[in-house]
Amino acid sequence: EVQLLESGGGSVQPGGSLRLSCAASGFTFSSYAMSWVRQAPGKGLEWVSGIHSSGDSKYYADSVKGRFTISRDNSKNTLYLQLNSLRAEDTAAYYCAKRLAAVGPNFDYWGQGTLVTVSS
Amino acid sequence: QSALTQPASVSGSPGQSITISCTGTSSDVGGYNHVSWYQQHPGKAPKLMIYDVTNRPSGVSNRFSGSWSGNTASLTISGLQAEDEADYYCSSYASSNTYVFGTGTKVTVL
């Protein structure tokens, strides 16, 4: 059974940092591209960042470019998202998601989400 | 990377069919056949219902179907059931391995 378990969320002041983790199991993690998607309270979904299966290629939404860094450790079956220079508008539930096919926003498995709250 | 445009709400009676539209530009929906649809129940993670415009993942009911014309993609739910009441989001490839989601549509079963 595929499982994605996020952790690392919490409350932080504007300008602060957090590191999110996503522990994967039930599939060959090193064979699949992964992404982070966030959802502000009561709002819609926003794609944040993606990473190739090997970790060599990384992609970001304009809203987080230069502040967030995605990475993965295939030996630990874990995906990460480093959040720096956090702003109030970054407050959201952050989901990690596994991609089904080679190209496209086809995320077939999602974690339960971890909540990040940015507030003074 | 502007959000794709969806109607805020769509409703229908049990057994009816409804269609949700997703309008983008030639830089996203209109430029690639990589549009997906997600269903999200309150407090739950999204569930992939359609990918690459028309494909259904294993286990998704064939009551859900997708189509695409120009800069607009559509999701049709046939034989509407109470369990279909949820929020629905489209998503499209938007070049350079980035993606964009739609604004979301709340489906109500009357």
Side-chain angles (χ1 to χ4, degrees):
Chain A
E1 178 191 5
V2 172
Q3 289 194 339
L4 298 171
L5 185 62
E6 302 98 335
S7 61
S11 294
V12 62
Q13 293 187 336
S17 298
L18 279 176
R19 188 196 198 198
L20 308 183
S21 298
C22 171
S25 61
F27 67 103
T28 305
F29 181 70
S30 59
S31 296
Y32 291 91
M34 300 289 294
S35 275
W36 288 96
V37 177
R38 68 184 180 183
Q39 187 170 34
K43 303 297 184 182
L45 300 171
E46 180 187 13
W47 178 82
V48 172
S49 180
I51 187 168
H52 190 265
S53 57
S54 66
D56 289 347
S57 299
K58 306 173 183 182
Y59 312 97
Y60 300 94
D62 288 344
S63 58
V64 307
K65 199 173 296 183
R67 300 187 301 121
F68 292 7
T69 302
I70 192 172
S71 62
R72 64 192 297 161
D73 186 335
N74 286 344
S75 69
K76 295 183 177 180
N77 291 344
T78 303
L79 176 72
Y80 302 100
L81 187 67
Q82 178 68 40
L83 290 64
N84 295 333
S85 303
L86 282 162
R87 307 166 180 168
E89 54 265 36
D90 295 319
T91 293
Y94 285 73
Y95 296 97
C96 66
K98 167 188 169 291
R99 208 166 74 192
L100 170 64
V103 181
N106 43 54
F107 306 116
D108 60 343
Y109 286 95
W110 298 60
Q112 85 292 344
T114 186
L115 183 61
V116 172
T117 302
V118 185
S119 174
S120 54
Chain B
Q1 295 177 339
S2 298
L4 308 175
T5 301
Q6 299 179 230
S9 62
V10 173
S11 61
S13 299
Q16 287 186 331
S17 293
I18 62 170
T19 297
I20 303 168
S21 62
C22 170
T23 301
T25 69
S26 58
S27 296
D28 38 61
V29 175
Y32 312 93
N33 62 342
H34 294 302
V35 175
S36 297
W37 289 91
Y38 295 88
Q39 176 192 67
Q40 186 180 34
H41 287 107
K44 300 294 186 180
K47 176 185 177 182
L48 180 65
M49 305 303 285
I50 296 286
Y51 69 98
D52 289 348
V53 180
T54 60
N55 294 326
R56 277 188 308 275
S58 175
V60 172
S61 171
N62 59 9
R63 297 187 297 105
F64 292 84
S65 61
S67 62
W68 172 52
S69 178
N71 294 338
T72 298
S74 298
L75 173 72
T76 297
I77 309 175
S78 304
L80 198 62
Q81 299 179 0
E83 67 207 49
D84 300 332
E85 186 161 293
D87 293 327
Y88 290 82
Y89 294 91
C90 62
S91 183
S92 173
Y93 183 86
S95 81
S96 302
N97 286 288
T98 64
Y99 308 109
V100 59
F101 279 91
T103 50
T105 298
K106 181 177 179 59
V107 168
T108 301
V109 181
L110 302 172

